[in-house]
Amino acid sequence: MPVRVLNPTFDDNGRVIGLKVAPEPRPALPKGRTPPRLTTKNHYERTLLQLRSKEKSLEKYIFLSQLKDADESLFYKVTMDNMMEIVPILYTPTVGDACLNFSHIYRRPEGLFISIEDKGRIGSILGSWPKKDEARISVVTDGSRILGLGDLGINGMPICIGKLSLYVAGAGIRPSSTLPICLDLGVNTQRYLEDPLYLGRQEKRVSDDEMTEFMDEFMHEMSIHFPKLLVQFEDFSTDHAFYYLDRYRKQYQCFNDDISGTGAVVLSGFLNAAKLSSAASGLPLSEHRILFFGAGSAGVGVAMQLLSFFKLQGLSEEEARSRIWTVDSQGLITADRKNLAAHKHYFARTDYQGPPLKNLLDIIEYVKPTALMGLSTIRGAFTQDVVESMAGLNVRPIIFPLSNPLTMCELDFNDAVEWTNGSVIFASGSPYKPVEFEGRTHIPGQGNNMYVFPGLGMGSLLAKSDVVTDNMIEASSLALADSLNKEERELELLYPQITRIREISAEVAVKVIRTAQKDVSLIIPGIRIHLMNIFLLGR
């Protein structure tokens, strides 16, 4: 007799309201439909052999996409067992190539595509999603600023798909509960306007007013059709990223990974980096000075998050802000600059009265930073002179070239090690291999958002918080910083090994849940408290 698994279903107050038959696993094929010596073990080994036979990373990405469609369980087993190898294919740096070529490598539908032409009937499109009742996390992009690659339009969909695959691999979120969405509001890149294979709307992007009307309808309909769903905004253009996060964050359960996720990951790495630097120099943690090269959504978002570092040392918000300097394409950002973008005002300096400082070397000489952060997407911006200047100012300079992908990174790890004679404390946005220098192996840090967003998302969902607060995001960062084990600390790593991601995500989720309970005064019925305590105490 066949066995059926029943799962309880809950209402918004945590009360059991019924039972639902769990999806059945794919039935085994009858004898004769498969080769006689095909086993789960040898097919796993065969899959890895096929993957590793591909010479180009983009070919590996296409292979994994096909595997996910053909055998989702095997796809996630391969991913979980080989995290160091697979994550750079599903995410940075390879996902950048996948986005650039999406319209040319497209195979099958995955996720939802919603166009400006659907305005007024967005709800009907959302309602067509076949797993509507199961959806819990959505990654949403409009493709206007994909990594450091610019406006890719609808080609940004692989970012959403990749991030959600990492939710599954990193936090154990059910694949059926994920929903990638790409919003097609046009594209301003001429290459795609002229490409006959481009899959999106081949017109310039709509006006800000029209986009806001569209976004208001989209978020409203999302809350109706997916009332239990968390929205993660991804790779919107800088101004829009800040604007829509501010517009919706107190009304819907959402966050922007470029602003909040990147900031949380960098804060975590900086906490550990500052301790190593101060241990070498004797400088009090409260006296670090941080220079940001790049002041877009990611740059300012990270700077805002690093205010927490100084507040943790007992500084006021104003004192914390005084320890941070920002630089954009026009040089050091000062308050007297005309036509300064709104998101740049907060860190604009009021204490500099000289002529405009435009050269990075001159700015370093003026600021004398202990840490240099790169979020400019300018390849090689941290030249040998810049790096040597940082090394001359600091016993152990902190240099974080964080721009993605590697083709946009401000500094390569081997150059950083060589130009500082091995003293650099380094973290990048994309992965680098260890470097041997003067008899020692130097291991780079990678400020990968994967360390934070799976645990932050899982914690927000388990807490059933209506919003994602700043304190919840800070809690995710502090949990990550504390997750280093003894061996990782002895190696002076800034981040834990990515192979421990499930354990790390659980620790992050616990801190997020505890913070959510305090922040939004969650009133959770007894059964929910019981279930949450099993999760929390079990970790």
Side-chain angles (χ1 to χ4, degrees):
M1 179 179 293
V3 176
R4 298 287 187 267
V5 177
L6 298 177
N7 290 333
T9 57
F10 301 91
D11 65 14
D12 290 338
N13 294 317
R15 291 186 292 264
V16 176
I17 57 175
L19 296 173
K20 183 169 64 174
V21 177
E24 294 186 46
R26 180 184 299 183
L29 292 172
K31 185 174 176 59
R33 293 286 303 279
T34 61
R37 293 194 62 245
L38 179 68
T39 66
T40 300
K41 184 176 184 298
N42 68 33
H43 192 47
Y44 172 87
E45 293 170 350
R46 182 179 300 104
T47 299
L48 276 178
L49 184 66
Q50 291 172 355
L51 173 66
R52 290 166 179 167
S53 71
K54 309 295 181 184
E55 294 184 359
K56 296 181 179 180
S57 295
L58 186 58
E59 292 175 344
K60 294 181 178 182
Y61 176 91
I62 294 171
F63 176 85
L64 287 172
S65 296
Q66 292 292 96
L67 176 63
K68 183 180 176 185
D69 184 35
D71 192 337
E72 191 173 61
S73 296
L74 181 57
F75 167 80
Y76 282 111
K77 178 169 176 53
V78 167
T79 300
M80 288 299 302
D81 289 352
N82 303 274
M83 294 289 283
M84 298 293 288
E85 179 180 358
I86 302 299
V87 168
I89 301 173
L90 299 179
Y91 192 38
T92 57
T94 306
V95 74
D97 287 337
C99 289
L100 287 169
N101 294 283
F102 176 70
S103 290
H104 289 248
I105 64 172
Y106 178 81
R107 294 292 196 278
R108 64 175 185 84
E110 186 170 4
L112 287 175
F113 297 89
I114 304 175
S115 167
I116 185 65
E117 295 168 6
D118 300 318
K119 188 170 173 290
R121 55 178 183 271
I122 292 174
S124 64
I125 295 175
L126 296 177
S128 70
W129 184 245
K131 299 176 181 178
K132 187 170 68 170
D133 293 339
E134 298 179 61
R136 292 294 180 272
I137 292 183
S138 179
V139 176
V140 179
T141 188
D142 73 340
S144 56
R145 192 196 60 83
I146 297 295
L147 300 173
L149 302 172
D151 184 357
L152 305 191
I154 211 167
N155 289 336
M157 178 57 102
I159 285 288
C160 303
I161 295 170
K163 284 286 179 81
L164 288 168
S165 293
L166 297 186
Y167 265 109
V168 177
I173 301 294
R174 289 193 307 274
S176 60
S177 69
T178 64
L179 173 54
I181 298 179
C182 188
L183 307 177
D184 186 8
L185 300 167
V187 63
N188 290 339
T189 301
Q190 196 64 30
R191 167 186 170 184
Y192 300 122
L193 290 171
E194 298 173 353
D195 183 355
L197 293 182
Y198 178 66
L199 291 168
R201 186 171 180 265
Q202 288 187 298
E203 295 183 29
K204 292 284 188 178
R205 286 190 173 271
V206 300
S207 68
D208 286 353
D209 288 344
E210 191 173 358
M211 180 177 179
T212 297
E213 289 180 6
F214 174 90
M215 289 297 297
D216 284 348
E217 179 186 347
F218 170 73
M219 291 300 291
H220 174 69
E221 294 293 344
M222 285 283 279
S223 70
I224 292 174
H225 290 275
F226 305 105
K228 300 177 182 178
L229 183 136
L230 168 69
V231 173
Q232 175 178 316
F233 293 118
E234 194 74 34
D235 287 349
F236 282 68
S237 65
T238 298
D239 290 343
H240 289 156
F242 280 101
Y243 177 75
Y244 291 120
L245 178 62
D246 183 63
R247 187 176 182 87
Y248 302 128
R249 62 178 308 190
K250 294 181 181 179
Q251 187 177 359
Y252 304 108
Q253 190 180 24
C254 64
F255 71 99
N256 185 301
D257 189 50
D258 302 301
I259 297 172
S260 304
T262 302
V265 170
V266 177
L267 171 60
S268 173
F270 186 78
L271 279 163
N272 292 322
K275 291 174 184 176
L276 292 173
S277 180
S278 288
S281 67
L283 182 75
L285 291 173
S286 60
E287 294 185 18
H288 276 276
R289 301 159 70 88
I290 308 174
L291 178 62
F292 280 84
F293 185 71
S297 59
V300 174
V302 171
M304 293 296 292
Q305 204 67 52
L306 284 185
L307 289 172
S308 298
F309 169 80
F310 294 107
K311 291 180 182 179
L312 290 169
Q313 316 312 319
L315 274 62
S316 67
E317 181 168 339
E318 191 59 37
E319 290 171 330
R321 182 165 58 166
S322 72
R323 301 293 196 275
I324 295 174
W325 288 256
T326 53
V327 176
D328 62 9
S329 60
Q330 298 181 53
L332 181 68
I333 297 177
T334 56
D336 59 356
R337 185 193 295 179
K338 295 181 180 179
N339 301 317
L340 188 63
H343 70 277
K344 298 180 183 181
H345 278 282
Y346 184 81
F347 289 105
R349 303 299 298 195
T350 59
D351 54 357
Y352 178 74
Q353 305 300 326
L357 287 174
K358 298 185 178 181
N359 182 277
L360 183 55
L361 268 176
D362 293 337
I363 296 170
I364 289 173
E365 182 180 348
Y366 168 71
V367 174
K368 294 181 171 49
T370 59
L372 177 61
M373 303 286 177
L375 295 110
S376 66
T377 70
I378 299 176
R379 173 70 177 168
F382 296 167
T383 61
Q384 184 170 352
D385 287 344
V386 166
V387 174
E388 289 177 347
S389 178
M390 287 294 297
L393 291 168
N394 303 283
V395 178
R396 297 205 65 186
I398 300 169
I399 304 180
F400 283 15
L402 297 167
S403 293
N404 286 319
L406 288 175
T407 54
M408 302 289 182
C409 188
E410 291 84 1
L411 175 66
D412 289 332
F413 182 51
N414 60 318
D415 289 334
V417 172
E418 180 182 345
W419 295 341
T420 63
N421 291 316
S423 68
V424 70
I425 301 172
F426 180 99
S428 57
S430 291
Y432 280 98
K433 295 180 179 179
V435 168
E436 296 288 335
F437 183 79
E438 296 186 352
R440 181 187 169 195
T441 301
H442 296 258
I443 303 174
Q446 185 194 354
N448 191 331
N449 288 22
M450 182 183 179
Y451 283 119
V452 163
F453 67 76
L456 175 59
M458 180 168 65
S460 300
L461 290 172
L462 287 172
K464 289 201 169 182
S465 171
D466 292 332
V467 295
V468 180
T469 67
D470 289 338
N471 287 338
M472 290 164 66
I473 293 166
E474 181 179 303
S476 71
S477 180
L478 299 180
L480 174 59
D482 290 340
S483 69
L484 292 173
N485 59 30
K486 182 180 178 182
E487 179 184 356
E488 290 162 345
R489 293 188 187 280
E490 288 174 350
L491 291 171
E492 296 189 346
L493 300 188
L494 303 184
Y495 297 100
Q497 297 286 351
I498 200 71
T499 51
R500 295 201 298 117
I501 188 62
R502 283 282 178 95
E503 174 189 342
I504 296 160
S505 294
E507 293 179 20
V508 169
V510 167
K511 293 289 181 64
V512 169
I513 291 168
R514 291 300 193 206
T515 304
Q517 289 174 307
K518 296 175 184 176
D519 270 9
V520 295
S521 301
L522 292 178
I523 302 173
I524 303 172
I527 186 171
R528 291 289 301 163
I529 293 175
H530 174 66
L531 292 174
M532 285 175 61
N533 281 336
I534 289 175
F535 174 81
L536 298 175
L537 297 176
R539 296 303 192 275

